[in-house]
């Protein structure tokens, strides 16, 4: 399945075997799509605290199976 920048299905296959599909996508549609606007509106300075270690981190196994 090929999905356009606005979430519309541009082309898809209904084959249950290996298949290939192609589609033409207009590059000018990318600049105004929602995802690009959200990326331009992000504020990385607000994320800094989320990336600093706090000392309470768990590894993936602990995060999944630790009961505390």
């Amino acid at each position: 399945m090929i999905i356009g920048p606005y979430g519309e299905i541009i082309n898809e296959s209904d084959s249950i075997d290996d298949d290939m599909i192609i589609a033409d996508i207009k590059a000018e549609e990318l600049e105004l799509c929602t995802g690009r606007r959200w990326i331009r509106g992000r504020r990385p300075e607000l994320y800094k605290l989320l990336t600093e270690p706090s000392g309470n981190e768990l590894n993936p196994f602990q995060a999944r199976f630790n009961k505390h």
Side-chain angles (χ1 to χ4, degrees), residues 18-64:
D18 291 337
D19 200 6
M20 180 184 295
I21 56 172
I22 60 171
D24 291 324
I25 299 175
K26 298 175 186 160
E28 55 270 6
E29 290 182 356
L30 289 175
E31 286 308 311
L32 295 176
C33 73
T34 305
R36 290 274 176 109
R37 290 194 333 251
W38 279 108
I39 288 172
R40 289 196 319 253
R42 67 189 172 95
R43 297 173 54 195
E45 67 276 6
L46 299 178
Y47 314 145
K48 186 173 189 249
L49 291 175
L50 296 174
T51 63
E52 294 177 357
S54 66
N56 294 323
E57 292 76 26
L58 301 173
N59 66 41
F61 182 83
Q62 292 170 323
R64 172 63 179 95

